[in-house]
């Protein structure tokens, strides 16, 4: 409903491609940036799509660096989905476990930080606590893939804003099938989107799927979508 409102909105559909729309009822522009598969589980050692068994929520005790996790379906974990990847990385950054370069601090003595086959890693769950009988870890390679993916989306949004003279966003909408629970502060801390007041940042889940259902069930909505698609200006 961006085209029905006056508020200047940034809409990002997070996936292998980051689909971006900026605009309001007066004008809309769109672009696509190749983010890579990290947000949908690809290129992440224990990555998976946002289904039952995926780690989604994460907190860390700053005194001993022990984690508290939330798993989709309240089952034993078997991997990490995209929203979990965002939440975990932001909390590790906040706790000083990793630096701005995405590398683990090697001077920490916590047992969950160790040298792995892909450099240093953080153990989210020990093997007996999982469905896969392996330790579930976040590695420095995972962090590199996340940095590239989020940089592509941030760059796409900021370039479009600069190109069209937009200084301040009224609203940000995060969509995608990468997980329904993205902590807004975590996403902002990682620089997933340009600055916006957090009370005006919304996560809406798999909006493309919702839109497809609306179009299938309502001929008028299908015609409306067709009309809007012709009005949006695409930016390379």
């Amino acid at each position: 409903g961006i085209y029905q409102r006056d508020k200047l909105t940034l809409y990002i559909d997070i996936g292998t491609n980051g689909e971006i729309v900026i605009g309001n009822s007066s004008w809309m522009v769109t672009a696509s940036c190749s983010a890579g598969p990290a947000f949908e589980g690809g290129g992440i050692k224990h990555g998976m799509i946002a289904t039952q068994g995926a780690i989604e929520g994460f907190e860390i005790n700053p005194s001993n660096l022990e984690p508290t996790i939330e798993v989709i379906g309240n089952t034993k974990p078997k991997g990490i989905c995209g929203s979990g990847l965002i939440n975990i990385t932001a909390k590790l950054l906040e706790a000083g476990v990793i630096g701005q370069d995405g590398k683990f601090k090697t001077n920490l003595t916590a047992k969950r930080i160790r040298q792995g086959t892909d450099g240093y890693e953080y153990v989210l769950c020990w093997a007996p606590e999982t469905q896969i009988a392996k330790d579930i870890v976040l590695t420095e390679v995972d962090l590199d893939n996340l940095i590239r993916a989020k940089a592509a989306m941030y760059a796409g949004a900021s370039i479009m804003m600069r190109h069209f003279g937009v200084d301040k966003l009224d609203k940000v909408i995060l969509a995608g099938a990468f997980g329904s629970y993205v902590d807004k502060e975590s996403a902002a801390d990682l620089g997933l989107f340009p600055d916006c007041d957090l009370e005006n940042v919304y996560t809406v889940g798999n909006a493309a799927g919702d839109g497809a259902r609306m179009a299938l069930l309502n001929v008028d909505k299908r015609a409306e979508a067709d009309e809007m698609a012709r009005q949006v200006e695409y930016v390379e």
Side-chain angles (χ1 to χ4, degrees):
I2 293 171
Y3 55 91
Q4 298 166 325
R5 298 179 176 89
D6 294 332
K7 286 188 174 181
L8 189 58
T9 301
L10 167 65
Y11 177 97
I12 307 177
D13 192 318
I14 299 171
T16 302
N17 290 312
E19 312 295 352
I20 299 170
V21 177
I22 294 178
N24 56 17
S25 56
S26 299
W27 61 278
M28 287 188 296
V29 293
T30 184
S32 178
C33 47
S34 181
F39 289 119
E40 295 180 326
I44 306 301
K45 184 166 187 173
H46 289 114
M48 62 178 289
I49 59 173
T51 56
Q52 188 163 307
I55 298 173
E56 187 163 50
F58 178 83
E59 295 290 340
I60 187 168
N61 185 323
S63 61
N64 59 13
L65 305 183
E66 284 294 304
T68 302
I69 62 170
E70 293 178 33
V71 180
I72 297 175
N74 293 317
T75 64
K76 283 187 173 184
K78 59 182 178 182
I80 309 164
C81 65
S83 54
L85 182 64
I86 293 168
N87 295 334
I88 293 163
T89 304
K91 297 296 183 184
L92 291 177
L93 182 64
E94 184 183 333
V97 176
I98 57 175
Q100 290 285 344
D101 58 357
K103 302 298 181 185
F104 284 97
K105 301 289 183 66
T106 57
N107 59 343
L108 300 173
T109 56
K111 63 181 179 179
R112 289 183 181 269
I113 301 167
R114 68 188 188 190
Q115 178 74 46
T117 55
D118 298 315
Y120 276 86
E121 60 190 24
Y122 177 86
V123 181
L124 292 156
C125 300
W126 303 109
E129 304 164 347
T130 73
Q131 292 186 40
I132 59 173
K134 296 178 183 176
D135 296 344
I136 295 176
V137 299
L138 182 74
T139 73
E140 288 182 337
V141 172
D142 298 340
L143 293 170
D144 284 343
N145 286 327
L146 172 62
I147 287 170
R148 282 194 293 272
K150 81 96 192 176
M153 281 194 270
Y154 184 92
S158 60
I159 288 168
M160 283 177 66
M161 286 174 64
R162 189 162 66 242
H163 183 74
F164 290 96
V166 174
D167 298 319
K168 176 76 173 171
L169 296 165
D170 297 322
K171 187 176 181 180
V172 173
I173 300 172
L174 302 175
F178 61 99
S180 56
Y181 176 69
V182 177
D183 183 85
K184 295 188 289 189
E185 288 189 26
S186 293
D189 288 346
L190 288 188
L192 196 61
F193 49 83
D195 286 343
C196 183
D197 295 333
L198 286 182
E199 63 265 26
N200 297 321
V201 177
Y202 301 88
T203 56
V204 295
N206 187 7
D210 293 340
R213 281 191 289 273
M214 290 167 66
L216 284 168
L217 295 168
N218 188 322
V219 174
D220 291 340
K221 282 292 180 186
R222 207 176 311 165
E224 190 179 341
D226 192 44
E227 181 185 351
M228 287 304 109
R230 286 196 295 271
Q231 292 183 19
V232 177
E233 178 185 352
Y234 177 73
V235 179
E236 189 65 53

